[in-house]
Amino acid sequence: MQTTFGRIVACSAISFLVLICVLPMCAQDQSSAVNSTDEKKQLASIAGTVVRQGTDEPLRKARVSLALKDQQGEKDFYAVTAADGKFVFDGLAPGAYELVVRHDGFVTKSYGEDSAGHESATLALGAGQKMEDLIFRLQKCAVITGRVVDEDGDPASGVEVAAVERKPYRGNDRSLQRGQAETNDLGEYRLFDLWPGRYYVCATPGYAMKSEARASDAASNSKGQSANRYAVTCYAGALDISRASAIELKGGDETPGIDITFLRNRTYKIRGTLTDLSGNGDAADYSVAALPTNGLTGQNSSSQGAVDPKDGSFEISNLTPGAYELTAFKFNSARLDQASTMVEIIDADLDSVKIVMKPGVNLRGRLVMEGKANVPPTLKISLEAKSQGPIDGHTARPKADGIFELANVHEATYAISARSECEECYLKSAKLNGVDLLEKGLQVAGAASAPLELVYSSRGGTVDGTVTKKDDLPAVGAMVVLLPDVAHREWAGRYTRGTTDQYGRFTIRGVAPGTYSAFAFKSAEDADDIEDAEFLKTIESQGKSVEIEEDGKQTVQLKVTVGSAGSSADQK
């Protein structure tokens, strides 16, 4: 009896212990399940459909990419549409995203982009937000076709034909190549995947035509004459792109008959000498390149000439009239040295051009972190030459103690910058021998006797707000620019920018303390000319003054700026 009772007590005790152990586990499991459920409720999602513009026919195999940029870096997500054109992204953390849709033969489209291809908007997702039924209507790409012939009407094969856009940039026009193709044996070409826009079509002589020209050069040289070569020719019959005929393309347009007949142009030579004072010339190879300063303007692309190691002489042939950046390069196992000078060919060869290559210098310095305790691991210090030539930029990463070195920096005037993943950070101060480099720029003309002194602060200000159009509706994908005071416009790099989201809202962090004028443009392209003084005169009255202090925050409401050329005039 006693034994039986003891067994009953023992079994009860064991059951009680098991119950004590199991209950906390059940509670923990239940708590974990609740936490997991709460976390899932915080996740957002995006879903939509990709269709063909005009017919709304679903597009399969469209590539949809989603990018989240936060303090930890950039996270990318991808999806491909099914036969019904649908895509979905689940389990997304709250934040600002960029959404882009691509499909072969169609114009790439970003979220918030309008029918004219203006800049995209950020897509702001809140906790648990579900954005569904997004529709992306893709336009078919435009096509230009034609034929290229020589002066006798014979087909020119192996010729590169380019579709070129002309865009304003800092008061000047620059040529941007948007597509290219090579002619076949019949001289035919087809430029495809072109976005709607205004294009110029230019053809560059191919290898066969250049070979034929060498015989012409020999005959001209024997008579002491300049060569008369085939030159870059733009539609219709222009040696200079500024005098060419523009072609307006709409989405899906196929424009045939854009035929080009090559023209000839006088070509000239540049002769000169290179003097190398940089040192370390053992086993070095030298070359000199002539690069047209205005890009595709009827001139041939960059031409090169070898340097005679005996006396440093060089010669570059087959150059059409125009301005060039003449740059000498030295290559060896130790480093790359270079030197540049500007020249212009008018109607004769250039002789006795002199290039002097001086040694680069090593600039040492120390960066002090203000605010945060440690220097951000991704911090990069950069120098950017203000000349238009191909002077290399220079970068350095400071060590944990802030010490850094910029190696082999050549003579030029540079803007200095410091950037990292820290969104609140900005370059507060940069000095050399007491000179404020953020106001004067860094002039390199020999070795520096003192180190660079940089202060990098995490106490940058924040400017946020909204942008509306003329009709007071939100301006989606607008570009907001903070224009600094005059003292900090040229060298400080304080032109800070931000893009509005689907609600017309924007946030710009890491703003250096100071006084700014805030402008809002319909797109980033419309804001390109804001650093040009003449353009600024036409819009400065529309700017809104903003004063920022360290760790400060300002909120502004902006209207889309209307430029003198009417680039943002259509605000509806």
Side-chain angles (χ1 to χ4, degrees), residues 211-495:
S211 298
E212 178 271 336
R214 280 194 281 269
S216 174
D217 290 351
S220 298
N221 290 335
S222 66
K223 298 177 182 178
Q225 300 174 344
S226 298
N228 194 12
R229 280 195 164 206
Y230 287 118
V232 173
T233 304
C234 300
Y235 177 83
L239 290 173
D240 192 311
I241 196 170
S242 65
R243 296 184 176 89
S245 299
I247 301 165
E248 296 282 353
L249 292 182
K250 297 179 181 178
D253 280 356
E254 182 153 349
T255 305
I258 306 302
D259 300 332
I260 297 174
T261 299
F262 268 118
L263 301 177
R264 290 182 180 268
N265 199 2
R266 287 283 181 186
T267 61
Y268 301 94
K269 298 179 181 180
I270 297 176
R271 303 182 186 92
T273 56
L274 168 64
T275 302
D276 183 7
L277 302 180
S278 64
N280 192 30
D282 294 340
D285 290 325
Y286 298 88
S287 69
V288 181
L291 181 69
T293 58
N294 294 323
L296 242 173
T297 56
Q299 300 168 337
N300 290 313
S301 56
S302 176
S303 299
Q304 293 191 356
V307 178
D308 189 330
K310 297 178 181 178
D311 57 7
S313 62
F314 64 87
E315 179 178 291
I316 306 176
S317 303
N318 308 319
L319 299 172
T320 54
Y324 292 86
E325 181 87 9
L326 202 60
T327 304
F329 299 92
K330 180 181 74 174
F331 306 89
N332 60 23
S333 58
R335 64 192 186 210
L336 169 66
D337 287 303
Q338 58 190 48
S340 297
T341 188
M342 293 294 300
V343 296
E344 184 175 7
I345 298 175
I346 299 177
D347 58 3
D349 294 342
L350 293 182
D351 291 307
S352 304
V353 176
K354 297 185 183 299
I355 304 176
V356 179
M357 184 177 290
K358 298 180 180 180
V361 298
N362 295 335
L363 297 178
R364 295 176 175 83
R366 184 168 185 267
L367 179 139
V368 176
M369 192 69 205
E370 187 176 271
K372 287 188 175 182
N374 299 319
V375 175
T378 59
L379 178 61
K380 183 165 62 175
I381 299 165
S382 302
L383 298 181
E384 180 184 351
K386 280 295 183 177
S387 71
Q388 295 299 312
I391 296 264
D392 279 346
H394 300 271
T395 61
R397 291 192 183 276
K399 299 177 182 178
D401 59 3
I403 300 297
F404 64 88
E405 180 176 277
L406 292 154
N408 200 32
V409 181
H410 291 86
E411 285 193 1
T413 303
Y414 296 87
I416 186 167
S417 64
R419 292 182 175 84
S420 71
E421 83 284 0
C422 174
E423 292 185 352
E424 295 77 24
C425 294
Y426 71 99
L427 184 59
K428 181 176 182 178
S429 171
K431 293 183 177 181
L432 177 64
N433 293 322
V435 176
D436 188 341
L437 306 181
L438 298 183
E439 288 190 7
K440 306 292 185 182
L442 172 61
Q443 296 183 9
V444 177
S449 58
L452 291 168
E453 301 173 2
L454 308 185
V455 177
Y456 194 60
S457 174
S458 63
R459 296 172 180 162
T462 299
V463 177
D464 63 13
T466 57
V467 180
T468 55
K469 299 182 290 185
K470 187 177 181 179
D471 55 10
D472 292 328
L473 291 176
V476 179
M479 175 60 67
V480 179
V481 181
L482 299 181
L483 179 72
D485 59 86
V486 175
H488 294 98
R489 287 182 187 177
E490 186 172 4
W491 303 105
R494 292 186 177 175
Y495 290 79

